[in-house]
């Protein structure tokens, strides 16, 4: 019995307990609205996983994940627009702008199979091409961040301005479409989508774990910590970066598609500049370089946002701004990193319960020694820049 | 350890400071004897770009609710029900509007939602209200081409604002039109309608251009206007928000002013926007609305005086605020007529309900719009409008009769037919 | 020919705003490798300073003096934005040197806080904030020294800030009951900054119509450029700044106070943002969101111009200005009315302000394929160069 409850076993079992609770208990307990919120935030966890891959592991800060998120979202949105129409009919908004026939690039989206692939292949391709052009020239660091942000703005302007092609600012609505015979906005369908999201989050987590362990993962971390050295050892960082950026793009696309069907609309707002930066902060708060942290951060922050904006909407920006500052100054490894490095223990130690001594007790409690100890203890952070 | 703690301390400092920036507004409890409560949702952007405009609308709605409560609330079955507003923030983000609408309906179980400003936000909420068969009251002039069973429109349809304004311009100001708008659905659709109207009535569109929302560099547009209208002409402006300021400041600098023969008609500039842009830039330009603060009737004066008393002396009233104010009263009247706050019963009772609004006596029409007073005004030095023409009350037309795709269609929710929202006359 | 002059003038006019806005950013980025996401908000503070100065002139000083208010606003805006920038450097950015991506996120957080600050600030709010800050600062002074050498000291520190923060909130909400104190100073609404009469007209030179406000901005840009150029090239501190820009460790070894240099550079960069803020009040709206309208364009200028040379910034800004004017106004169609139909359609497609942005970005990305480090790359032998 004692063995069962030992911290090691407990730690092993904990994720599964959480998964079971989330997947089985919550749908039964939560009211549909809250469940729907949770589903959406979980789907945002997938895009956060992608950001964790490129930022937490590879050290590239992309402020443009909204592009890929929205591309995946639009792919599914376009399919849903077409799927519930009689043959020969056009989505309603086209008639408002005097468009008589379906634009050519809409045609393939009548096919569910094509859409299934489009949701993640198109974002991956766009990310791959954009990434290749940028990485090839060894543009990185802040330059890379700015370029991704500019690209985001370009996509935003394009989607926003093209009423005739894609319904502009209004975006595409999905709630009244039908998927597998069910109304997308209905509670039953939303519950199915919630389960699908849970499954896909777990799948994405396994994918990322597989990628970050082993040689590929080591190469990514090496790029983050010292890219020239890796290059001199004969590796080609461009290829690694392009691939991982494309994978993050694909994850963002899937996340966008799931988010869309659960919120009922895809609009160019998904490509707004602040939203993409928020995505980064989810990862930062959860803990970059820890996969579970990315998902946790996405869910926690969005839940907090939703609660705060229900009570005191004006204060959300203060809190969000404070979070940005807090997380970069005080919690560089996020909540999960803090937890893993024994943060709670240290907090308890402050109120008087002595920590388990690793060395001679009196030394261990001496602040001077502690300071040095922590210098040695926290392994040099590979200045993820 | 000390190092990490110091970092923690620094971070906590940041958080504490940001928390301390949080100022709470105190809520005051209205007393009175009520027999119950009825919850209504108020869903406007209280943060973000649109907060500037939507705050006023939300304030007008809250004022109407307070007034109704002060008179004993909504009377159903002889019971006095207090209206309790549940406020939500749309955050100038369309998907957020959809999310919050769901929350108001499912979680708070409100009887009705008053909300929205931009057409994009309404279009985002529309499927939610249709899927849940609930009821949204929307207070802003909009582009028409929509007639939902689940939305009540208390703002102007195009034939109550844009069309009479274009007629007036054609008659008094000239035939060459340049259309400028923000790059989103209302200007695009409104301009489509105006182009058809001009084609039908002998005007000419010499150019049109769209500015991304929030963009402030209008030099290319000014160049286009100068090329298209070298010697003056009519400019119809459907820009929204911030861009207007840049537009008028730079137009003035480039000499495109009323003094030089340019007639500028705006559809999104009301008293509040004039104050923010500066009347010196707008003096002599025109606007078409259903209500101006300068409207000289007792109801209008009382509305403005009450608004100032409640929210401050410097504040002004405008058309969207008036429409928002009136729709709360119309809802209350419909609920009393239906003797229920259930949204379906209110919907049935709503058509035909009247209210003595600041603009005059308004009546709800079968297409879920309101018969409205059409006014054309000119901006004065003091930031108010001089009313140039009063076209009287005009019945709303949801499906536009100039646009070929919707010509001949109508909407009548009193008809018992599946396509009551859009059918051939 | 007139068209050429017209194009050149308007391109220059758009470009000079970009130069002025990006100048401070370029100086800071060149020296510290820090992209200040709050740069746009510092511009906003400059614009709000202009508003306050204007109101003081209107209310207090004789009317004859009103036309010069804008000249008074320029140094004041420089001072206000510069001091806020200095504060930002001393409190946040200093902790993050060598971690440019974290700086990016932290300054984004600051920008959110500044935006909401101008929306919410009222007398009650300001008093509450002041109390919270003073309380937080005073607790360590007023409590026994040995409290600050304990295990639980960090908790005490955090706790005292939380408590003083709460006191601030309580005081603010109590005072908020008073109508006078609760009035927001600026509110979320846009504010009205009116240009003096001499900046509202225009001058005709040949067939080119030159708005006075544009001429004023061009002149201001030239003055700012000359001043910055002179400062960097001729003054002692300018020399130090250049030295640190070229080689930070070596400068440090030679006794240049790099910390002071950093602070000074940041102050100047932020101050220039304030000056740019004064200039843009002549063109556009003044509101809490002002910064966001310019910031991405500024980034583009910095990326295109390269690091370390003012000439790069100027050339890049003017290039972007002329290009976006030519594309956005569709001038090409006038020069060559008989162009083939396909090309004509293409040009008309891009001849709106939204689409011009799309094209300009595409051109920048293509350009970076040829010159990855911008127009004037910094020469060096570093691996990373």
């Amino acid at each position: 019995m004692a063995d069962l409850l030992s911290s090691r076993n407990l730690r092993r079992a904990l994720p599964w307990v959480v998964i079971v609770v989330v997947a089985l208990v919550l749908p039964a307990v939560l009211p549909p609205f809250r469940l729907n919120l949770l589903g959406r935030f979980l789907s945002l966890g997938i895009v956060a996983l992608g950001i964790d891959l490129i930022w937490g592991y590879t050290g590239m800060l992309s402020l443009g994940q909204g592009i890929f998120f929205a591309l995946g979202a639009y792919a599914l949105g376009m399919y849903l627009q077409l799927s519930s129409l009689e043959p020969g009919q056009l989505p309603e908004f086209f008639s408002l702008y005097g468009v008589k026939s379906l634009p050519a690039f809409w045609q393939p989206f009548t096919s569910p199979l094509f859409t299934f692939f489009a949701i993640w292949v198109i974002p991956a391709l766009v990310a791959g091409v954009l990434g290749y052009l940028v990485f090839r020239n060894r543009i990185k660091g802040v330059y890379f961040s700015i370029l991704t942000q500019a690209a985001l703005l370009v996509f935003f302007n394009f989607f926003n301005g093209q009423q005739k092609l894609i319904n502009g600012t209004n975006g595409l609505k999905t709630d009244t479409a039908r998927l597998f015979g069910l109304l997308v906005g209905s509670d039953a369908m939303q519950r199915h989508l919630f389960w699908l999201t849970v499954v896909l989050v777990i799948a994405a987590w396994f994918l990322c774990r597989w990628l970050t362990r082993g040689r590929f993962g080591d190469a990514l971390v090496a790029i983050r910590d010292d890219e020239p050295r890796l290059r001199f050892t004969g590796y080609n960082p461009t290829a690694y970066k392009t691939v991982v950026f494309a994978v993050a793009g694909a994850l963002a696309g899937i996340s966008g598609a799931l988010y869309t069907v659960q919120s009922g609309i895809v609009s160019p707002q998904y490509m707004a500049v602040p939203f993409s930066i928020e995505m980064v902060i989810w990862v930062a708060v959860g803990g970059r370089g820890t996969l579970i942290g990315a998902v946790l951060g996405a869910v926690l922050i969005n839940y907090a946002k939703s609660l705060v904006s229900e009570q005191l909407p004006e204060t959300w920006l203060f809190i969000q701004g404070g979070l940005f500052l807090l997380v970069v100054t005080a919690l560089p490894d996020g909540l999960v990193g803090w937890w893993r490095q024994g943060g709670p223990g240290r907090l308890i130690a402050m109120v008087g319960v002595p920590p388990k001594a690793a060395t001679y007790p009196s030394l261990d409690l001496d602040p001077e020694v502690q300071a040095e100890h922590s210098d040695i203890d926290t392994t040099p952070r590979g200045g993820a820049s | 350890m000390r190092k990490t703690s110091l970092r923690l301390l620094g971070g906590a400092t940041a958080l504490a400071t940001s928390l301390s920036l949080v100022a709470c507004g105190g809520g005051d409890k209205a007393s009175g004897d009520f027999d119950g409560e009825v919850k209504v949702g108020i869903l406007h952007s209280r943060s973000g770009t649109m907060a500037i405009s939507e705050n006023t609308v939300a304030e007008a709605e809250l004022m109407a609710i307070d007034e109704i409560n002060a008179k004993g609330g909504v009377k159903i079955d002889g019971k006095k029900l207090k209206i309790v507003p549940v406020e939500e923030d749309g955050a100038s983000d369309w998907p957020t509007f959809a999310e919050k609408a769901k929350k108001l309906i499912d979680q708070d179980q409100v009887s009705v939602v008053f909300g929205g400003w931009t057409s994009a936000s309404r279009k985002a909420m529309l499927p939610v209200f249709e899927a849940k068969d609930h009821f949204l009251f929307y207070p802003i002039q909009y582009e028409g081409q929509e007639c939902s069973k689940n939305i009540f429109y208390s703002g102007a349809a195009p034939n109550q604002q844009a069309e009479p304004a274009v007629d007036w311009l054609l008659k008094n100001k000239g035939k060459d039109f340049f259309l400028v708008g923000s790059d989103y659905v209302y200007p695009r659709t409104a301009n489509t309608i105006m182009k058809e109207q001009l084609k039908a009535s002998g005007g000419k569109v010499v150019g049109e251009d769209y500015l991304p929302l929030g963009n402030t560099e209008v030099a290319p547009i000014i160049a286009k206007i100068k090329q298209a209208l070298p010697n003056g002409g009519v400019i119809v402006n459907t820009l929204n928000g911030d861009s207007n300021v840049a537009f008028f400041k730079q137009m003035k600098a480039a000499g495109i002013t009323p003094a030089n023969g340019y007639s500028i008609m705006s559809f999104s500039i009301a008293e509040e926007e004039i104050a923010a842009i500066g009347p010196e830039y707008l003096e002599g330009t025109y606007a078409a609305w259903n209500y101006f603060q300068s409207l000289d009737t007792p109801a209008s004066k009382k509305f403005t005086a009450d608004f100032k008393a409640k929210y401050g002396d410097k504040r002004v009233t405008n058309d969207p605020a008036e429409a928002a104010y009136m729709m709360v009263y119309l809802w209350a009247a419909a609920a009393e007529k239906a003797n229920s706050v259930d949204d379906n019963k209110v919907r049935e009772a709503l058509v035909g309900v009247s209210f003595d609004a600041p603009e005059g006596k308004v009546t709800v029409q079968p297409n879920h719009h309101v018969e409205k007073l059409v006014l054309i005004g000119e901006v004065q030095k003091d930031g108010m409008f001089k009313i140039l023409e009063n076209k009287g009350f005009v019945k709303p037309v949801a499906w536009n009769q100039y646009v070929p795709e919707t010509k001949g269609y109508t909407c009548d929710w009193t008809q018992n037919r599946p396509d009551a929202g859009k059918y051939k006359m | 020919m007139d068209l050429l002059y017209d194009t050149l003038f308007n391109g220059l006019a758009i470009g000079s705003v970009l130069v002025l806005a990006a100048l401070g950013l370029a100086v800071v980025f060149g020296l510290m490798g820090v992209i200040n996401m709050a740069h746009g908000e510092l511009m906003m503070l400059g614009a709000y300073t202009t508003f306050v100065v204007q109101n003081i002139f209107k209310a207090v000083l004789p009317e004859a003096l009103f036309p010069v208010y804008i000249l008074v606003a320029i140094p004041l805006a420089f001072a206000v934005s510069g001091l806020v920038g200095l504060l930002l450097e001393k409190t946040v950015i200093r902790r993050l040197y060598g971690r440019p991506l974290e700086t990016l996120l932290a300054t984004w957080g600051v920008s959110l806080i500044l935006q909401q600050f101008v929306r919410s600030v009222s007398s009650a709010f300001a008093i509450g904030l002041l109390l919270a800050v003073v309380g937080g600062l005073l607790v360590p002074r007023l409590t026994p020294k040995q409290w600050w050498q304990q295990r639980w000291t960090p908790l005490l520190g955090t706790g005292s800030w939380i408590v003083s923060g709460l006191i601030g909130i309580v005081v603010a909400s109590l005072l908020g009951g008073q109508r006078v104190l609760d009035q927001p100073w600026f509110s979320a609404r846009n504010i009205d900054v009116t240009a003096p009469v001499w900046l509202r007209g225009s001058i005709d030179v040949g067939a080119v119509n030159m708005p006075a406000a544009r001429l004023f901005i061009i002149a201001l840009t030239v003055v700012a450029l000359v001043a910055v150029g002179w400062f960097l090239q001729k003054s002692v501190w300018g020399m130090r700044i250049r030295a640190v820009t070229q080689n930070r460790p070596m400068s440090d070894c030679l006794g240049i106070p790099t910390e002071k240099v950093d602070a000074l550079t940041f102050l100047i960069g932020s101050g220039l943002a304030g000056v740019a803020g004064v200039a843009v009040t002549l063109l556009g709206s003044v509101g809490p969101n002002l910064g966001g309208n310019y910031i991405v364009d500024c980034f583009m200028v910095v990326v295109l111009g390269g690091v370390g040379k003012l000439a790069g910034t100027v050339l890049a800004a003017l290039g972007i200005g002329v290009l976006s004017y030519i594309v956005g106004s569709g001038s090409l169609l006038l020069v060559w009315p008989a162009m083939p139909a396909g090309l004509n359609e293409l040009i008309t497609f891009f001849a709106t302000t939204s689409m011009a942005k799309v094209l300009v970005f595409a051109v920048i990305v293509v350009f970076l394929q040829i010159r990855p480090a911008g127009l004037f790359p910094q020469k060096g032998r570093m691996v990373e160069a």
Side-chain angles (χ1 to χ4, degrees), chain B residues 131-145:
Chain B
K132 304 199 180 283
D133 196 21
H134 210 266
F135 212 4
L136 169 71
F137 277 48
Y138 173 77
I140 309 297
Q141 39 77 254
Y142 80 117
E143 70 279 359
Q145 308 294 57

Side-chain angles (χ1 to χ4, degrees), chain B residues 21 183 217 224 249 272 315, chain C residues 125 189 214 281 351 354:
Chain B
L21 291 171
D183 206 351
E217 191 51 84
K224 281 186 188 168
K249 280 187 179 174
E272 180 131 25
R315 300 293 301 278
Chain C
F125 184 99
R189 287 176 180 74
R214 293 288 192 178
T281 60
S354 342

Side-chain angles (χ1 to χ4, degrees), chain A residues 136-137 140 228 288 350, chain C residues 35 102 151-152 307 369 384:
Chain A
R136 194 177 70 112
N137 290 305
K140 56 188 201 179
R288 77 187 116 122
M350 283 178 202
Chain C
I35 280 282
E102 275 88 342
R151 246 190 279 121
W152 36 266
V307 185
Q369 298 305 307
E384 299 289 322

Side-chain angles (χ1 to χ4, degrees), chain B residues 1-2 5-14 16-26 46-52 55-56 59 183 188 208-221 223-224 226-227 241-243 245-247 249-250 252-255 272 274-281 308-313 315, chain C residues 3 6 10 13-14 17 58 95 99 113 116-117 119-120 125 128-129 132-133 148-149 151 153-154 156-158 161-162 164-166 168-169 172-173 176 179 183 188-195 199-202 209-214 280-286 288-290 293-294 324-325 328-331 334 351-354 357:
Chain B
M1 172 142 177
R2 178 187 278 168
S5 309
L6 273 178
R7 268 203 256 154
L8 246 175
L9 178 69
T13 311
T17 323
S18 65
L19 275 177
S20 71
L21 291 171
V22 176
C24 313
R46 307 309 290 259
S47 59
T49 341
M50 291 310 298
I52 302 163
N55 270 331
T56 314
E59 283 164 357
D183 206 351
R188 291 265 180 186
E208 63 176 308
D209 205 354
Y210 298 93
L211 206 61
L213 273 178
N215 196 308
T216 49
E217 191 51 84
V218 296
I221 290 189
K224 281 186 188 168
K226 283 193 165 173
Q227 277 159 19
D242 292 3
S243 309
V245 190
F247 182 68
K249 280 187 179 174
Q250 295 181 38
K252 178 121 187 166
E272 180 131 25
I274 298 178
I277 298 170
E280 44 285 276
Y281 293 105
K308 282 180 192 266
K310 193 166 170 74
Y311 296 111
D313 221 18
R315 300 293 301 278
Chain C
L3 187 71
D6 206 42
N10 278 306
I14 299 176
V17 179
K58 250 187 207 160
R95 302 156 171 267
R99 292 154 68 195
I113 291 177
Q116 192 59 42
F117 177 75
R119 287 198 192 107
S120 309
F125 184 99
L129 178 64
V133 172
W148 295 89
Q149 288 152 2
R151 246 190 279 121
T153 293
L156 176 67
T158 323
W161 274 103
I162 291 176
S164 55
L166 285 177
I169 292 174
S173 50
R179 173 61 78 71
Q183 281 293 323
R189 287 176 180 74
N190 283 3
I191 49 174
D192 163 29
V193 180
T194 311
L199 285 175
R200 275 188 242 162
S202 59
N209 176 279
M210 298 187 176
R214 293 288 192 178
V280 299
T281 60
L282 298 174
L283 297 177
S285 59
V286 181
N289 307 313
L290 179 141
N293 300 334
Y294 292 93
S324 49
Y325 179 76
S329 67
S331 313
L334 297 173
T352 64
T353 316
S354 342
K357 282 204 160 178

Side-chain angles (χ1 to χ4, degrees), chain A residues 43-96:
Chain A
S43 61
L44 292 176
I46 300 179
V47 66
L49 277 173
I51 292 176
D52 203 11
L53 268 189
I54 53 175
W55 183 41
Y57 286 91
T58 324
M60 307 182 291
L61 176 61
S62 164
L63 301 180
Q65 290 307 101
I67 300 173
F68 317 118
F69 184 83
L71 284 176
Y74 266 102
L76 185 59
M78 284 161 76
Y79 168 72
L80 287 175
Q81 293 289 304
L82 298 174
S83 67
S84 44
L85 292 177
E86 307 290 317
Q89 247 187 334
L90 283 185
E92 194 199 339
F93 67 87
F94 278 127
S95 70
L96 292 181

